[in-house]
Amino acid sequence: VDLLMRVGIDSAIYRSQLAGINSPLPAVPSLALGTGEVSLFEMVGAYQAIANGGILKEPVYLTRIEDRNGSVLYERESAGGGTPLCTPENAELMIEMLRGVANEGTASGLRSKYGIKADVAGKTGTTQNYSDGWFIGFTPGLVAGAWVGGDLQNVRFKTIQYGQGAYAAMPMWAG
């Protein structure tokens, strides 16, 4: 929250919009804690820019479809370019922080419980009254997210034990 206040809430909202966050964000200090309602698609897109060294590209659901014989039915051509959002150095700092989450933080279960040894960076999240749990993670070749929750805030987990992103959403990502 302190960093958000030093950067400026309006500036942070503007940078979020540049990163593809189109959902309305509240101009309040708690924005730094995740009080804005943002879709998983928007969040994965923003994390993709971090994983790409600070370059935002359009998120892609499918890159290739094959039939059961291996014949290619569809293959998306690689999209070049992109929009710079931050310097490669700043993106690398973010990646290192997110690696720390996977190695020693709230997502360390990726290693200890699920045995993932790959280079992984990511972030768990839990929102108001345990109504949303999420995990967004990336490897050098893939960015993906998982979300567990409901559109209505009154539908929620009763405790943080089950409602936190590390328990509710991260297992889907790890699986």
Side-chain angles (χ1 to χ4, degrees):
V1 174
D2 178 59
L3 179 60
L4 174 66
M5 297 310 290
R6 285 192 273 151
V7 167
I9 294 173
D10 290 339
S11 176
I13 290 173
Y14 173 73
R15 298 294 292 176
S16 297
Q17 292 167 340
L18 290 178
I21 307 292
N22 296 313
S23 297
L25 297 174
V28 295
S30 63
L31 179 63
L33 304 175
T35 56
E37 293 185 28
V38 178
S39 74
L40 180 63
F41 184 76
E42 290 173 310
M43 291 296 292
V44 168
Y47 273 70
Q48 169 274 138
I50 297 166
N52 275 335
I55 305 295
L56 178 69
K57 295 184 179 186
E58 181 183 349
V60 176
Y61 284 112
L62 295 171
T63 57
R64 183 179 170 116
I65 300 173
E66 296 180 6
D67 67 15
R68 63 180 165 199
N69 300 316
S71 297
V72 177
L73 302 174
Y74 168 82
E75 187 162 18
R76 180 180 168 97
E77 293 184 26
S78 177
T83 305
L85 288 182
C86 67
T87 66
E89 296 80 15
N90 284 343
E92 188 56 38
L93 287 172
M94 286 294 301
I95 291 169
E96 281 305 311
M97 286 190 280
L98 295 170
R99 278 185 182 127
V101 173
N103 293 332
E104 302 159 2
T106 56
S108 61
L110 291 170
R111 308 251 186 251
S112 62
K113 186 173 183 178
Y114 299 102
I116 295 175
K117 294 179 177 22
D119 181 15
V120 177
K123 181 72 179 84
T124 62
T126 307
T127 59
Q128 293 78 345
N129 296 318
Y130 325 119
S131 60
D132 297 286
W134 55 272
F135 178 75
I136 300 172
F138 54 91
T139 65
L142 178 69
V143 180
W147 169 72
V148 175
D151 290 334
L152 301 175
Q153 291 282 320
N154 61 348
V155 176
R156 62 172 82 66
F157 294 96
K158 291 183 180 183
T159 68
I160 194 167
Q161 177 182 0
Y162 299 113
Q164 65 179 297
Y167 185 89
M170 191 179 73
M172 289 188 288
W173 191 94

